[in-house]
Amino acid sequence: MYNVIIYLYLIGVAIYSRFNEKVRKMWRGERDAFRVLREQVDHQSRYVWFHAASLGEFEQGRPLMEQLRRDHPDVKILLTFFSPSGYEVRKNYEGADIICYLPLDTFRNARRFLQLIHPVMAFFIKYEFWYNYLHILKNRGVPTYSVSSIFRDGQVFFRWYGRQYGRVLRCFTRFYVQNEKSRELLANIGIENVTVTGDTRFDRVLQIKETAKQLPVVESFIGSGLKTDELKAKVFVAGSSWPPDEDIFIRYFREHPGWTLIIAPHVIGEEHLQQIEQKLEGWRVVRYTQAEKSPSATTASAPTALVIDCFGLLSSIYRYATVCYVGGGFGVSIHNTIEAAVWGRPVVFGPENQKFQEAQGLKACGGGFEIKDYDDFARLMDRFDSDPQYLSESGNKAGAYVQSLSGATRKILNDIEL
């Protein structure tokens, strides 16, 4: 049944690729992967294979790849992606020797792929359970690990109708899961080769913090030329925001002046940027790229709102926040909360956060705050504004939470033999 579904999916992708640029890139990239491997594989070398579905999973696997390279400089790394949103952003990543798409999981593709690469070890990040690849790896005796994986009651493996597909889990040499609940769920279906190590994303955000950029445009905008985390202004940074998020916090700051507002929207398109500017009508507003070209725009008479209209800066911008807001919680789901929390700032987000244990952890420790509507947000911001001690303690709790859950990378690599 699985292979029938895969072949139907393959046909669907081939058809849809004619009408969708993202799908077309994936379709072409998967077909091109065999050429890439034929041209680039060094058959005299040992390869460790890392597979990440997309950019988020790549960030989870990155600390493992980089530490493994430091520990074993003689080993080469193959990195594969399923989604264009991962491959297109990281196709020039210097931490891997070969980067390509993963051909779709047909038996023929999986056999050809593994004949070309002959990995000595394989890592699948978080949710990747490709039936044919995993069975061939097991049959060939290749140690295969699921890292930073997390399991929930509703997943197909734990339903009566998913028992046959659930056999794929028995192909892994070991699971390195994020929490005890995942270990218990796997134990309930007879899988005991499980270690609770936590999430490698915590290691990654600490790496990002250590290498964060200083941004003179932002420092000028908020009136801070300092080389420390001290700020001269109350700064609200909204990261990965969507229109429903912006409707709430922009309304508040229109009614409560005194804060500097920095918005890094999730979608950086002209239409969305203009929507934000319209909501801020009457304010002094500047886009980041305009400020880069004209530094005088960020002097004392600078706009009261800075809109980030480029990628790659958000993780560094959070350092300048007094309070961080992470968007997406009024849509499908929130974005990366620990990227903000690592700076020791309180983190605010919307109600769609239940699937993210880091959000639950931040709420439980007092460093993260869920808001359900404008009134919730207003009450919370009023307290932050009027109670500096509460603001400081909340931020410290957020930072301590991230620090307390670091170390998964070293735990995993200490447990494997290469």
Side-chain angles (χ1 to χ4, degrees):
M1 178 61 72
Y2 174 84
N3 285 316
V4 171
I5 293 172
I6 285 293
Y7 277 106
L8 291 174
Y9 179 80
L10 183 63
I11 293 169
V13 168
I15 295 171
Y16 194 41
S17 67
R18 297 175 179 270
F19 310 100
N20 184 282
E21 178 63 24
K22 181 177 179 180
V23 176
R24 185 157 51 250
K25 287 181 179 179
M26 181 179 73
W27 173 245
R28 290 174 178 170
E30 289 179 1
R31 294 165 68 190
D32 196 46
F34 295 112
R35 179 195 61 79
V36 171
L37 294 178
R38 284 194 301 268
E39 293 178 356
Q40 297 187 24
V41 168
D42 176 2
H43 294 289
Q44 305 304 312
S45 298
R46 296 193 303 160
Y47 283 88
V48 175
W49 174 24
F50 284 84
H51 176 64
S54 190
L55 188 59
E57 289 78 12
F58 164 79
E59 290 296 331
Q60 286 179 289
R62 184 169 178 169
L64 284 166
M65 285 184 276
E66 294 179 355
Q67 188 60 53
L68 186 142
R69 186 181 284 280
R70 287 191 288 269
D71 292 348
H72 303 278
D74 59 310
V75 170
K76 292 193 174 183
I77 292 175
L78 164 68
L79 170 63
T80 59
F81 289 97
F82 179 74
S83 168
S85 60
Y87 175 79
E88 295 299 328
V89 175
R90 294 301 182 190
K91 59 187 176 184
N92 297 316
Y93 170 59
E94 296 181 353
D97 298 281
I98 303 175
I99 303 173
C100 64
Y101 281 91
L102 180 68
L104 198 62
D105 187 31
T106 65
F107 180 78
R108 180 173 179 269
N109 280 349
R111 185 173 60 182
R112 286 181 64 196
F113 183 90
L114 291 170
Q115 283 174 343
L116 285 167
I117 190 66
H118 292 292
V120 297
M121 185 175 291
F123 292 87
F124 287 73
I125 313 299
K126 198 173 183 179
Y127 290 135
E128 295 300 278
F129 307 105
W130 295 108
Y131 193 91
N132 290 309
Y133 283 104
L134 287 167
H135 275 87
I136 295 173
L137 285 166
K138 182 181 179 182
N139 290 338
R140 294 185 177 184
V142 179
T144 304
Y145 304 101
S146 175
V147 298
S148 291
S149 45
I150 187 166
F151 293 90
R152 301 182 181 87
D153 293 295
Q155 287 174 297
V156 64
F157 314 112
F158 313 114
R159 301 290 188 175
W160 64 267
Y161 53 79
R163 289 174 185 169
Q164 183 175 3
Y165 176 64
R167 294 173 186 169
V168 72
L169 299 179
R170 301 188 181 277
C171 295
F172 286 98
T173 306
R174 180 157 289 275
F175 292 86
Y176 295 102
V177 298
Q178 293 189 29
N179 56 25
E180 181 65 24
K181 175 67 173 177
S182 296
R183 189 198 65 77
E184 292 173 358
L185 285 169
L186 291 171
N188 289 340
I189 58 173
I191 295 177
E192 302 288 349
N193 53 328
V194 182
T195 303
V196 180
T197 53
D199 189 347
T200 51
R201 282 186 304 165
F202 289 90
D203 298 327
R204 177 62 188 143
V205 296
L206 286 166
Q207 286 180 347
I208 291 171
K209 181 182 178 183
E210 290 174 1
T211 58
K213 309 169 186 175
Q214 288 213 240
L215 303 173
V217 169
V218 177
E219 292 183 356
S220 177
F221 179 80
I222 62 177
S224 171
L226 303 178
K227 302 301 182 184
T228 69
D229 286 340
E230 296 180 33
L231 300 173
K232 296 180 180 178
K234 293 182 294 184
V235 182
F236 182 87
V237 173
S240 300
S241 64
W242 293 82
D245 304 300
E246 293 149 10
D247 288 340
I248 289 175
F249 63 72
I250 288 178
R251 174 185 168 186
Y252 178 84
F253 291 111
R254 290 182 72 92
E255 298 174 1
H256 299 79
W259 285 72
T260 299
L261 180 57
I262 300 176
I263 305 173
H266 184 74
V267 176
I268 300 177
E270 186 59 30
E271 182 179 356
H272 189 194
L273 295 173
Q274 289 184 12
Q275 287 177 357
I276 293 171
E277 290 168 345
Q278 288 170 4
K279 292 173 184 177
L280 291 167
E281 185 179 0
W283 287 35
R284 297 187 300 275
V285 181
V286 69
R287 299 185 186 186
Y288 184 89
T289 55
Q290 294 172 346
E292 276 191 312
K293 296 174 183 176
S294 179
S296 61
T298 60
T299 59
S301 60
T304 55
L306 178 65
V307 178
I308 310 302
D309 58 341
C310 53
F311 292 106
L313 300 180
L314 181 56
S315 59
S316 296
I317 288 174
Y318 281 131
R319 75 187 299 167
Y320 300 108
T322 308
V323 175
C324 297
Y325 182 97
V326 175
F330 290 92
V332 177
S333 60
I334 58 171
H335 297 287
N336 191 337
T337 54
I338 60 174
E339 190 176 53
V342 71
W343 291 103
R345 310 289 191 260
V347 184
V348 185
F349 41 82
E352 293 299 326
N353 62 71
Q354 301 306 313
K355 293 182 179 180
F356 298 89
Q357 73 165 5
E358 63 272 17
Q360 309 315 308
L362 283 168
K363 289 192 292 184
C365 78
F369 302 86
E370 176 186 316
I371 56 138
K372 293 183 172 61
D373 52 31
Y374 172 79
D375 291 336
D376 276 355
F377 181 77
R379 281 191 292 269
L380 179 62
M381 289 303 301
D382 285 347
R383 182 165 185 190
F384 284 149
D385 200 17
S386 62
D387 191 342
Q389 182 175 351
Y390 180 69
L391 174 65
S392 176
E393 290 176 353
S394 299
N396 290 339
K397 289 173 181 177
Y401 171 75
V402 175
Q403 288 283 347
S404 71
L405 293 176
S406 63
T409 299
R410 180 44 66 191
K411 291 175 185 176
I412 293 168
L413 293 178
N414 283 348
D415 197 49
I416 67 172
E417 294 183 8
L418 181 59

